[in-house]
Amino acid sequence: MPEDANETRQCDYLADVKLDRDSREGIDSAAINLNSYTTSQALQAILMGSLDKRTGTVYGPPGQKKCIFFVDDLNMPYVDAYDTQAAIMLLTQIVSYKQVYDRAHLEEKRNLVDILFTACMNPKAGSFMINARLQRHFTVLTAHSPSAQNIASIYGKILGRHLEGFDAMVRKSSDTIVMATGDILTAIQNNPCFLPSGQKFHYQFNLKDISNIFQGLLHTESAMFKKGLQDFLRAWAHEAQRVFCDRLVSPEDRAEMQIIMEKVASKHFLGAVQTKDERAIVVGVRDREHFGGASGGFRIFLPSDVIIGI
């Protein structure tokens, strides 16, 4: 049961790799997403929806296959007055005894076969602990967030390879851009303005956002950056604002994000471009949000007034 902000993506990737290899061997998969409103009845309904009746009281995956259930946010179900979680206790019963009862006819017992479970826990919400009777059935793995050095190594190689056909100054800035992106994420995570709350429940910033920024940069083409590094840094600032700012819900949060980006630009790029003002990199990027077609099949940034004129 990994316990990290990226645990779901890691488990999904590993499950996909394994199931691609094992699909011919009769193994299926299914996902069960838990939350604070998930009851034992809801969990049982989801589980039984993936199983077929085989013989008598025996239920299993269709086609005589085996099924691996991935339980996301295992620790999220509501903790009741007795310090228990109904959904977790039902899962404990299933893993321990491979049995559930028909809720309409409690005298009927259903035996479950050919099912396996893997799960992950939410590190920022929920009970943070699960019942030891359930945990004893799992091998517990803890996935730590990668260090800044690891992030720079991973994304530096990806971006560096893409920039091989660009201007020399752009190529040399690859590592600096990666470090600046990491600094933005770190500043956001350490700023109380961007903590999740009732109105900002979607304020979840992690490595997925960095991946989205570099995914956007990988769509750039060298022919579109006639001014070299300064134009490319504007594209980088555009991607950073697209990923981070579009999620913000208040002018105050957007202003705070602007300050963070200006500080990062001042730290990393003022000596690399012909400007003494970090705002020359960051300000005005929002006017270049739209894409337009160009001859030769390139995608270019067009000023907003040009778009309106079109």
Side-chain angles (χ1 to χ4, degrees), residues 17 62 77 85 101-102 131 155 166 170-171 177 201 207 223 273 277:
V17 170
Q85 297 163 283
Y101 289 90
D102 187 336
N131 191 284
Y155 291 102
F166 283 69
V170 177
R171 293 198 305 270
I177 291 174
F201 60 90
L207 281 181
V273 296
D277 184 6

Side-chain angles (χ1 to χ4, degrees), residues 26-262:
I27 298 180
D28 284 337
S29 67
I32 301 176
N33 299 298
L34 303 185
N35 56 55
S36 58
Y37 297 102
T38 304
T39 63
S40 61
Q41 183 174 1
L43 175 60
Q44 183 172 335
I46 295 171
L47 180 67
M48 297 304 296
S50 300
L51 306 179
D52 288 346
K53 184 175 183 178
R54 291 188 176 177
T55 58
T57 61
V58 177
Y59 289 77
Q64 301 297 317
K65 293 183 178 181
K66 294 183 179 180
C67 184
I68 300 176
F69 287 96
F70 172 63
V71 185
D72 195 8
D73 291 339
L74 178 64
N75 60 319
M76 284 297 292
Y78 176 74
V79 180
D80 60 27
Y82 304 98
D83 200 29
T84 60
Q85 297 163 283
I88 296 298
M89 299 315 299
L90 176 64
L91 187 60
T92 302
Q93 174 184 317
I94 294 172
V95 175
S96 301
Y97 302 105
K98 298 294 190 295
Q99 294 176 341
V100 294
Y101 289 90
D102 187 336
R103 290 177 178 264
H105 306 280
L106 293 179
E107 69 279 4
E108 294 184 12
K109 187 185 300 183
R110 297 178 176 181
N111 299 301
L112 311 181
V113 298
D114 295 335
I115 59 175
L116 299 170
F117 290 92
T118 182
C120 72
M121 296 173 62
N122 190 315
K124 296 183 179 180
S127 64
F128 300 106
M129 297 291 292
I130 62 169
N131 191 284
R133 292 167 57 197
L134 176 63
Q135 183 172 324
R136 66 190 176 95
H137 291 287
F138 288 86
T139 298
V140 180
L141 302 175
T142 301
H144 296 283
S145 297
S147 64
Q149 183 178 0
N150 291 335
I151 294 174
S153 176
I154 295 170
Y155 291 102
K157 287 182 172 60
I158 295 173
L159 184 61
R161 182 64 179 269
H162 173 69
L163 297 180
E164 287 180 354
F166 283 69
D167 178 80
M169 287 295 293
V170 177
R171 293 198 305 270
K172 291 179 182 179
S173 69
S174 173
D175 291 338
T176 306
I177 291 174
V178 174
M179 289 188 293
T181 308
D183 285 353
I184 290 178
L185 178 62
T186 301
I188 291 173
Q189 292 175 332
N190 294 332
N191 192 316
C193 290
F194 305 111
L195 293 177
S197 65
Q199 293 181 334
K200 305 176 182 179
F201 60 90
H202 60 289
Y203 277 26
Q204 303 287 344
F205 301 98
N206 49 50
L207 281 181
K208 183 178 180 180
D209 299 306
I210 290 184
S211 297
N212 289 337
I213 291 173
F214 287 104
Q215 185 178 20
L217 291 179
L218 293 181
H219 284 91
T220 57
E221 299 188 32
S222 58
M224 292 295 100
F225 297 94
K226 303 300 184 182
K227 294 183 180 180
L229 180 57
Q230 185 162 341
D231 273 356
F232 191 81
L233 292 181
R234 281 183 170 273
W236 165 80
H238 163 80
E239 291 300 321
Q241 290 193 343
R242 176 183 66 84
V243 171
F244 292 122
C245 292
D246 286 357
R247 201 181 311 175
L248 306 181
V249 298
S250 69
E252 294 77 14
D253 290 349
R254 286 191 286 272
E256 191 67 26
M257 180 67 71
Q258 185 76 10
I259 293 173
I260 290 175
M261 293 195 64
E262 290 176 7

